[in-house]
Amino acid sequence: MHRFRSISIVLILLCAACVDRIIIDTGTVANYAIVVDGFISDQPGPYTIQVTKAFDIESKQSIKTPINLKKLTISDNAGNKEDLSNPSTGVYRTAANGIRGVVGRAYKIRLELLDGRIYESIPDTLQSAGSIDKVYTKFREDTNNDGSSKYGFDVLFNSTAGSKKSYFFLWKFVGTFQAETVPSLHTETCGESSCPRPPACSGFNTSLEQIGPCTCCSCWYDFFNTELVLSEGQFVKDGVYTGVQANYVPVNQWTFLHKVHAEVQQFSLSRQSYEFWKGVKAQKSASSSLFQPITGKVAGNFVQINGPEAPIDGLFYATSIVKASTFITRDDVPLKNIIPDVSLPFTDDCRKLFPNATTIKPAYWTD
């Protein structure tokens, strides 16, 4: 079996479940390696676990190939367990009213592959998340490379650990803003000119007659922190973290067309899951450095207990989650003239303007 090496591990904070994609190079092995990514929390389910096939960097194979298993089971040390459903290839999900994380219990998953291999994760104990006591912002002015000014807000928070014996945390940021478009004005090339082609959701037909309400004129968009924020290096006293930066929110014509909802999520970690994310962060930093090579392999928390030997990587962990948020409004921008106007409207379905879009108004959003 060839030595299998990690070439990059990338955090992606674009979904409510915040699933992190892990890319592993295995070389060429007789039995392909797999990568597992998922967690259980004390928040209501369902919980999703993704299973993908690792890849050979010298092949033309897709770097992310979902695979199905014979069975995937989650269990705790109190005797509870659940076999997960398989709604799509490589995706496993608990029932909405199924198993749920409880602080103090230890959780693991068992994967049974079609070729007879069986793996189990090392039990991970769910620690208390504590509390996020305050989310606040600081306005900032910086200079671009061309000498022009750019403006934005640092989003900071104060939080308290749930136990003075456990100071391991991962923090995630979710920002949301609202924007409007004018899909009724959408046109497409028609011969040597342009013809009206409003999408059906605009409420207009190609004759520009209104046939119903517009259902894609207003959207809400989520954006996330691109860097891992871990409880390392910050000053902590009696379990209290003060002034930790979660993310940066730029001031532009879209983010502050209305306002921004800034939410900070605090994930408790066991020592073993903390060490995994710390390794991920170190590799991600190394990949962007000209002077530090990418070396070593981030250790996952799986062991193989049956079948022909083949690698497995990734992480399954247990976490408690707490959240806190604030709104950043146009009134918080000290210089009103720095918010650009939207010079030209976007003339299509608002869901096409930015990623992570929804036409459903969030429950927390106030007009």
Side-chain angles (χ1 to χ4, degrees):
M1 181 185 303
H2 292 264
R3 180 171 63 96
F4 94 83
R5 302 158 287 146
S6 171
I7 62 168
S8 68
I9 304 178
V10 181
L11 176 70
I12 297 180
L13 297 160
L14 299 176
C15 35
C18 298
V19 176
D20 308 298
R21 186 176 72 179
I22 302 170
I23 301 174
I24 305 293
D25 164 37
T26 67
T28 303
V29 293
N31 298 289
Y32 59 83
I34 63 173
V35 180
V36 183
D37 185 12
F39 65 85
I40 185 173
S41 79
D42 59 352
Q43 301 300 300
Y47 313 111
T48 299
I49 298 172
Q50 293 188 337
V51 183
T52 56
K53 184 178 179 180
F55 76 106
D56 179 356
I57 59 174
E58 296 180 355
S59 75
K60 295 181 180 180
Q61 182 182 344
S62 169
I63 63 173
K64 185 178 182 182
T65 305
I67 58 171
N68 282 336
L69 309 173
K70 182 179 179 181
K71 182 190 289 188
L72 194 155
T73 304
I74 184 171
S75 60
D76 65 18
N77 59 349
N80 303 297
K81 68 178 182 178
E82 181 180 348
D83 293 335
L84 278 65
S85 64
N86 183 202
S88 60
T89 304
V91 175
Y92 289 83
R93 190 165 294 150
T94 62
N97 60 348
I99 192 169
R100 180 172 174 177
V102 176
V103 171
R105 292 184 184 175
Y107 295 85
K108 68 177 182 179
I109 58 173
R110 177 186 175 96
L111 303 93
E112 299 182 22
L113 275 67
L114 298 173
D115 62 7
R117 281 182 282 164
I118 298 177
Y119 301 93
E120 286 189 356
S121 63
I122 299 170
D124 198 53
T125 300
L126 199 156
Q127 308 288 340
S128 172
S131 62
I132 297 177
D133 306 315
K134 182 181 180 182
V135 177
Y136 57 102
T137 62
K138 287 186 178 180
F139 181 74
R140 196 171 94 195
E141 178 180 356
D142 295 303
T143 303
N144 292 309
N145 292 334
D146 61 3
S148 61
S149 294
K150 62 179 180 180
Y151 308 92
F153 289 88
D154 288 328
V155 179
L156 307 115
F157 65 91
N158 302 337
S159 72
T160 303
S163 168
K164 293 184 179 181
K165 295 181 180 179
S166 179
Y167 293 159
F168 302 117
F169 296 101
L170 168 68
W171 290 294
K172 296 184 180 182
F173 170 87
V174 183
T176 305
F177 62 95
Q178 180 186 6
E180 285 79 38
T181 64
V182 191
S184 60
L185 299 180
H186 182 66
T187 62
E188 293 181 4
T189 301
C190 182
E192 296 182 356
S193 60
S194 295
C195 295
R197 291 291 186 271
C201 60
S202 70
F204 286 79
N205 59 24
T206 54
S207 299
L208 297 184
E209 298 171 329
Q210 187 167 7
I211 56 176
C214 179
T215 58
C216 60
C217 289
S218 185
C219 279
W220 288 263
Y221 308 90
D222 287 340
F223 62 102
F224 310 90
N225 54 312
T226 57
E227 300 294 329
L228 278 167
V229 183
L230 293 169
S231 54
E232 56 177 355
Q234 299 95 348
F235 178 72
V236 57
K237 181 178 180 181
D238 295 328
V240 176
Y241 293 90
T242 304
V244 182
Q245 183 169 346
N247 205 18
Y248 172 81
V249 176
V251 173
N252 60 47
Q253 66 269 39
W254 295 110
T255 54
F256 281 89
L257 185 61
H258 297 283
K259 56 188 174 183
V260 175
H261 182 258
E263 179 180 274
V264 178
Q265 303 173 357
Q266 180 164 294
F267 290 67
S268 66
L269 300 176
S270 65
R271 177 177 287 276
Q272 72 172 1
S273 55
Y274 173 81
E275 292 297 334
F276 176 90
W277 290 118
K278 186 177 179 181
V280 169
K281 184 175 183 178
Q283 278 209 353
K284 192 171 186 294
S285 298
S287 68
S288 61
S289 171
L290 294 175
F291 306 103
Q292 184 176 354
I294 304 174
T295 58
K297 169 181 171 296
V298 178
N301 66 338
F302 290 90
V303 294
Q304 184 170 356
I305 62 176
N306 192 60
E309 184 180 355
I312 182 172
D313 213 332
L315 179 73
F316 174 77
Y317 63 107
T319 181
S320 175
I321 307 172
V322 292
K323 307 174 183 179
S325 63
T326 189
F327 278 103
I328 316 172
T329 70
R330 293 173 66 95
D331 291 338
D332 295 317
V333 181
L335 307 171
K336 306 308 176 190
N337 62 327
I338 68 172
I339 305 176
D341 293 326
V342 178
S343 55
L344 293 173
F346 183 75
T347 57
D348 206 340
D349 184 331
C350 64
R351 289 167 291 191
K352 297 181 180 180
L353 180 59
F354 294 108
N356 309 308
T358 180
T359 57
I360 301 173
K361 182 179 177 180
Y364 55 75
W365 196 269
T366 55
D367 294 321

